[in-house]
C-alpha cells in the first residue's frame, strides 16, 4: 500500500470510528470513559491492520483472529481480549446496520475462554493476627470497640463486606422477621410442632400445652396459657416498637 493510500485508509478509519463513537454517545448514552475505551481498542486494531496494509473498513475474519492471537501472545488477559473483541463486534455491527459493510468479520469469531480466579483467603494465623490487632485497638473508645465488632463479625459469620455495611439498613426488616417468627411460634400450632417437636417433658411449648389442655377438658389451664401467650406477644411487640421508635 502506498503512502497516499495508507493516508486515505487512515482518514477513512478515523471517520468511521468517530461516527461509531457519536452513535454510542447519542443513542446508547455511553459514558466518556466507555467511549475512550472503545477508541483505544479500535485504534489498536486499526494499527494492527495497518501493518498488513488494511483499514478498519476492509478487515476480514482472519484479521480479527490474528489480532486476538497477537494479543494472547503478548500476555493480554482473556478478560481484556474479550473486551476488545466486544468493541470490535459493536463497531462492525454498526457498520453493517448502516449499510457500510455487507458482513460482520467478528460474527464467527469465538470469544476467549474466561477463567474465574480462585478467591484469595487468609490463613488461620493471618485471621488470628487481624482479630488481635483489632482487639488491641479497642481501647475503650467507641471507634475501637466498633472496629473490633466489625472484624469479629466478619471472621465469625463469613459475611461479605458489602453485606456487613448494609446490616444497619436491614435492621428493620430483620426485627420485623424476628417479631413475625416469634408471634407465629406463640400462636401457630403447626409451626411449633414442626420446629420444636413434641417430646413430653422436654420440648413442649405453650401452644402445644394449650392444645393438650383443651383436648383433656382442662379449661382453666387452657385459658391461663392463652392469656400468657397473648401477654408475651403484646409485650414483645411493644418493646420492638419502642426500640425502632428511638432510631432516627
Amino acid at each position: 500500500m502506498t503512502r497516499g493510500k495508507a493516508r486515505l485508509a487512515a482518514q477513512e478509519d478515523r471517520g468511521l470510528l468517530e461516527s461509531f463513537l457519536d452513535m454510542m454517545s447519542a443513542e446508547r448514552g455511553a459514558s466518556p470513559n466507555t467511549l475512550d475505551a472503545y477508541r483505544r481498542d479500535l485504534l489498536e486494531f486499526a494499527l494492527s491492520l495497518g501493518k498488513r496494509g488494511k483499514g478498519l473498513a476492509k478487515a476480514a475474519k482472519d484479521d480479527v483472529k490474528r489480532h486476538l492471537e497477537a494479543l494472547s501472545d503478548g500476555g493480554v488477559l482473556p478478560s481484556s481480549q474479550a473486551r476488545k473483541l466486544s468493541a470490535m463486534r459493536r463497531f462492525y455491527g454498526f457498520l453493517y446496520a448502516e449499510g457500510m459493510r455487507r458482513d460482520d468479520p467478528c460474527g464467527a469469531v469465538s470469544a476467549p475462554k474466561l477463567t474465574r480466579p480462585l478467591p484469595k483467603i487468609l490463613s488461620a494465623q493471618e485471621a488470628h493476627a487481624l482479630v488481635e490487632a483489632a482487639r488491641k485497638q479497642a481501647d475503650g473508645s467507641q471507634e475501637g470497640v466498633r472496629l473490633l465488632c466489625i472484624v469479629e463479625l466478619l471472621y465469625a459469620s463469613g459475611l461479605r463486606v458489602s453485606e456487613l455495611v448494609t446490616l444497619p439498613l436491614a435492621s428493620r426488616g430483620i426485627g420485623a422477621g424476628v417479631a413475625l417468627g416469634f408471634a407465629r411460634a406463640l400462636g401457630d400450632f403447626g409451626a411449633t410442632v414442626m420446629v420444636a417437636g413434641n417430646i413430653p417433658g422436654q420440648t413442649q411449648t405453650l401452644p402445644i400445652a394449650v392444645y393438650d389442655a383443651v383436648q383433656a377438658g382442662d379449661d382453666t389451664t387452657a385459658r391461663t396459657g392463652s392469656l400468657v401467650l397473648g401477654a408475651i406477644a403484646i409485650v414483645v411487640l411493644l418493646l420492638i416498637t419502642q426500640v425502632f421508635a428511638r432510631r432516627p
Side-chain angles (χ1 to χ4, degrees):
M1 180 181 287
T2 64
R3 290 185 178 180
K5 290 183 178 180
R7 189 178 298 108
L8 289 175
Q11 292 176 352
E12 182 182 13
D13 286 349
R14 283 196 294 270
L16 294 175
L17 179 56
E18 292 305 320
S19 297
F20 166 70
L21 295 176
D22 289 342
M23 181 276 296
M24 291 296 296
S25 176
E27 298 182 13
R28 305 292 177 86
S31 67
N33 289 338
T34 300
L35 296 176
D36 288 341
Y38 278 131
R39 181 180 283 107
R40 286 195 303 271
D41 292 339
L42 292 172
L43 286 177
E44 183 182 40
F45 182 45
L47 180 62
S48 174
L49 290 171
K51 295 177 181 178
R52 296 192 291 274
K54 287 186 176 181
L56 288 173
K58 304 297 182 182
K61 179 177 68 175
D62 289 340
D63 295 318
V64 177
K65 288 185 175 180
R66 287 174 185 171
H67 182 57
L68 293 176
E69 290 172 358
L71 293 174
S72 180
D73 294 341
V76 177
L77 295 175
S79 57
S80 298
Q81 296 178 42
R83 189 201 69 232
K84 295 174 186 294
L85 178 58
S86 175
M88 289 187 282
R89 281 177 172 165
R90 284 188 176 272
F91 174 71
Y92 286 108
F94 164 73
L95 297 186
Y96 179 80
E98 295 295 320
M100 300 178 188
R101 281 190 64 122
R102 295 183 178 180
D103 64 338
D104 180 358
C106 303
V109 178
S110 300
K113 293 183 178 179
L114 301 179
T115 57
R116 296 185 62 183
L118 293 175
K120 297 179 180 180
I121 61 174
L122 297 177
S123 65
Q125 292 78 10
E126 290 171 332
H128 180 72
L130 181 63
V131 174
E132 287 301 318
R135 185 170 286 116
K136 290 179 181 179
Q137 294 293 327
D139 51 1
S141 65
Q142 184 176 358
E143 289 298 322
V145 174
R146 178 175 176 271
L147 175 62
L148 178 60
C149 290
I150 289 175
V151 173
E152 289 189 342
L153 183 57
L154 282 173
Y155 177 71
S157 64
L159 287 172
R160 297 183 179 92
V161 174
S162 59
E163 294 170 339
L164 177 65
V165 298
T166 55
L167 275 180
L169 300 177
S171 60
R172 292 179 181 271
I174 294 173
V178 170
L180 179 61
F182 186 74
R184 285 182 61 86
L186 287 177
D188 192 328
F189 172 77
T192 55
V193 170
M194 292 176 62
V195 175
N198 186 25
I199 303 175
Q202 295 185 26
T203 61
Q204 190 177 52
T205 59
L206 272 174
I208 298 176
V210 171
Y211 175 80
D212 289 343
V214 171
Q215 293 297 313
D218 189 353
D219 294 339
T220 301
T221 301
R223 282 195 295 268
T224 303
S226 299
L227 290 173
V228 171
L229 285 171
I232 292 174
I234 291 172
V235 169
V236 170
L237 290 174
L238 288 175
L239 288 174
I240 292 175
T241 302
Q242 292 278 340
V243 169
F244 285 117
R246 293 175 183 174
R247 295 193 176 186

